[in-house]
């Protein structure tokens, strides 16, 4: 094995999948691309890392709600493009041809073209670490989409798409909650 600079260690465990986070500040919808998310249990509890350097952060602080929209691998260029411009001066839904869909529990919209969407309420801000803790309120999946692969950021400008699935549900049954 070769030594990897410690400053690049995160590229070995960069979380996934890439998530498009939608917000609505009461006047306009916005989208930001986030690659630092985490599932916190078998419950609908999640966390993400972001802060005031992102335009959407003010809306997250103010409204305490958002949508996690999970793009398929076929949307990689749109997901990267969304992350490369600011909602301060760009209507990202229009620019990237994404369709906002009214959510049931939050003002932020779902994204029609995505594999799945999770309506979320923010339950905590861990300011010291720029972590936002969220609770899922409703979830939606589009099993009819042709491309079901998710994309994962490596952290260095490269991405990996899901490939073959390995089913070990029976082997892990004792650890998986009933109904999952």
């Amino acid at each position: 094995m070769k030594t990897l600079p410690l400053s690049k260690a995160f590229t070995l465990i960069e979380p996934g999948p890439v998530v498009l986070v939608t917000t609505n500040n009461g006047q306009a919808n916005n989208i930001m691309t986030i690659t630092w998310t985490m599932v916190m249990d078998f419950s609908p509890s999640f966390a993400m890392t972001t802060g005031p350097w992102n335009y959407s952060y003010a809306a997250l602080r103010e409204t305490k709600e958002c949508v996690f929209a999970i793009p398929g691998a076929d949307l990689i260029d749109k997901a990267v493009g969304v992350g490369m411009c600011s909602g301060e001066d760009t209507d990202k839904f229009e620019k990237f041809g994404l369709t906002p869909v009214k959510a049931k529990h939050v003002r932020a919209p779902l994204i029609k073209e995505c594999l799945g969407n999770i309506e979320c309420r923010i339950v905590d801000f861990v300011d010291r670490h720029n972590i936002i803790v969220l609770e899922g309120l409703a979830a939606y999946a589009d099993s009819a989409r042709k491309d079901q692969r998710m994309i994962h950021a490596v952290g260095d400008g490269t991405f990996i798409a899901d490939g073959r699935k390995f089913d070990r549900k029976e082997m892990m049954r004792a650890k998986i909650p009933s109904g999952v």
Side-chain angles (χ1 to χ4, degrees):
M1 268 190 226
K2 292 182 180 180
T3 300
L4 180 70
L6 191 54
S7 64
K8 293 184 179 184
F10 72 93
T11 66
L12 296 172
I13 60 172
E14 173 89 7
V18 170
V19 175
L20 299 175
V21 178
T22 68
T23 56
N24 180 295
N25 64 7
Q27 298 175 351
N29 294 326
N30 193 32
I31 315 168
M32 71 174 163
T33 303
I34 294 287
T35 62
W36 295 333
T37 60
M38 179 176 80
V39 174
M40 294 179 56
D41 199 345
F42 284 108
S43 66
S45 296
F46 313 100
M48 71 174 163
T49 300
T50 189
W53 57 86
N54 279 320
Y55 177 73
S56 294
Y57 187 73
L60 291 168
R61 276 276 187 195
E62 180 184 319
T63 66
K64 295 183 175 47
E65 62 182 37
C66 65
V67 170
F68 276 12
I70 298 88
D74 57 325
L75 297 177
I76 187 168
D77 291 336
K78 292 183 183 201
V80 172
V82 162
M84 296 306 296
C85 61
S86 175
E88 188 170 11
D89 55 19
T90 305
D91 178 339
K92 297 183 189 184
F93 279 95
E94 183 179 318
K95 180 172 182 160
F96 297 101
L98 297 169
T99 310
V101 176
K102 185 170 176 42
K104 293 180 181 174
H105 304 282
V106 299
R107 285 189 298 188
L110 312 176
I111 299 177
K112 180 181 178 181
E113 292 78 12
C114 284
L115 290 168
N117 288 269
I118 306 168
E119 296 182 46
C120 297
R121 175 184 310 120
I122 295 170
V123 296
D124 197 9
F125 290 90
V126 184
D127 293 326
R128 179 172 181 223
H129 299 288
N130 297 308
I131 295 172
I132 299 174
V133 181
L134 307 104
E135 172 185 43
L137 303 173
Y140 313 91
D142 185 353
S143 59
R145 280 184 101 260
K146 184 178 178 180
D147 192 344
Q148 290 288 316
R149 298 172 303 148
M150 289 183 229
I151 47 179
H152 304 266
V154 175
D156 63 357
T158 62
F159 296 81
I160 299 168
D162 289 339
R164 180 177 163 212
K165 284 189 177 182
F166 299 92
D167 185 345
R168 298 295 183 269
K169 288 179 183 174
E170 287 308 311
M171 188 179 207
M172 297 180 62
R173 185 59 55 205
K175 296 279 186 182
I176 301 171
S178 179
V180 173

